[in-house]
Amino acid sequence: MSVIPEDIATRNPAPPSKRLLLAELRALAEWPRAVVWLPTRHLPRGDGHPVLVLPGFGASDRATAPLRRALQRLDYRVEGWGQGRNLGMRREIGQALSARIEALHAEHGAVSLIGWSLGGVFARELARGQPQRVRRVITLGSPISHHPKANNMERLFQLANPRHNGEVDWDAFTRREAPPPVACTAIYTESDGVVAARCCREMPAPHTENVRVRGSHIGLPANPAVLEVIATRLMQPPRAQT
């Protein structure tokens, strides 16, 4: 049993308020527009490098399809994660994703990783494991810092993972909180009703940035402002590893 570090013990573990959680219903208005069309005409064209998009907890590639279609129109080689519904990391999933990154890198060059919510946690760890093959990481409302309990998905996660007893491996969390050695962009919304906004931001570093947008957590993959941030970051050359 790991002991909570003193600096984390003073942080606020409270999840987003019930008011913010209820406000996630606005995603019902955000999604229909994206399913029909996410606008790309005003966005910069890409260079064709590979992009792997990971869904959030409880979601599958269907949830990221509008975002992936938009990025394909911008000339990127885009793929979904291909692992069904995201119910948490499994050894076989991690191995499959690592192998996919290796194959994409061998055929097309360095890969950009985009992860929504829990998918962003996975994207950062994949980049940490093979930074020489990853161009950059972009997270969308992902619980990557501050406190691992400050979210409204804890009970659902435990239901989907009955072997998970709810105890936090604080040593592992501290290691995960540090950004991987690639360019990292964390996109977040202050009105997130699922993950506390303070937890969706990267730690300050020369190769990290945090970009705030308006909207819901559930609607992040369908948010035109999110697409604009992603498009402008993907076209930037990869930074030197730190």
Side-chain angles (χ1 to χ4, degrees):
M1 178 178 177
S2 61
V3 178
I4 181 170
E6 185 175 351
D7 64 320
I8 297 179
T10 60
R11 301 178 190 178
N12 182 6
S17 67
K18 292 181 179 179
R19 177 183 61 83
L20 286 177
L21 181 59
L22 184 61
E24 286 292 320
L25 290 173
R26 66 190 184 276
L28 295 175
E30 295 167 341
W31 269 99
R33 293 173 298 189
V35 170
V36 174
W37 193 255
L38 269 173
T40 58
R41 181 176 296 181
H42 65 295
L43 299 178
R45 314 302 294 188
D47 59 4
H49 80 262
V51 178
L52 185 62
V53 184
L54 285 64
F57 175 72
S60 67
D61 284 332
R62 291 184 62 183
T64 63
L67 175 60
R68 287 186 285 115
R69 285 196 297 265
L71 293 176
Q72 287 170 346
R73 294 198 301 273
L74 293 176
D75 299 329
Y76 292 101
R77 185 180 298 274
V78 189
E79 295 195 8
W81 84 323
Q83 301 299 314
R85 195 172 297 279
N86 184 353
L87 297 178
M89 182 55 75
R90 310 287 193 270
R91 182 186 300 273
E92 60 274 16
I93 291 177
Q95 292 173 342
L97 292 174
S98 294
R100 192 70 194 122
I101 291 171
E102 184 175 355
L104 285 170
H105 177 265
E107 188 172 357
H108 306 292
V111 184
S112 287
L113 304 179
I114 300 173
W116 171 34
S117 199
L118 184 60
V121 177
F122 297 168
R124 291 170 85 254
E125 295 312 297
L126 289 165
R128 199 186 310 279
Q130 40 185 328
Q132 73 282 6
R133 299 190 177 102
V134 175
R135 178 171 174 142
R136 67 172 53 246
V137 171
I138 302 175
T139 57
L140 317 180
S142 298
I144 56 177
S145 65
H146 190 76
H147 202 290
K149 295 283 189 178
N151 65 81
N152 281 313
M153 298 300 290
E154 191 71 21
R155 290 184 181 179
L156 288 177
F157 185 84
Q158 290 188 31
L159 286 174
N161 297 269
R163 293 184 180 180
H164 177 64
N165 59 14
E167 290 188 2
V168 176
D169 185 336
W170 294 106
D171 293 336
F173 175 76
T174 301
R175 290 193 299 270
R176 289 197 308 271
E177 191 174 38
V182 302
C184 294
T185 298
I187 302 174
Y188 70 100
T189 169
E190 288 288 354
S191 57
D192 196 314
V194 177
V195 180
R198 60 187 176 276
C199 300
C200 301
R201 298 192 285 261
E202 287 283 2
M203 305 289 282
H207 62 296
T208 67
E209 65 169 345
N210 300 301
V211 182
R212 183 175 62 186
V213 298
R214 291 183 177 181
S216 67
H217 177 95
I218 295 174
L220 284 171
N223 189 323
V226 170
L227 175 61
E228 184 171 355
V229 175
I230 291 173
T232 57
R233 285 357 181 238
L234 289 181
M235 69 174 293
Q236 295 175 358
R239 304 179 195 178
Q241 294 180 18
T242 303

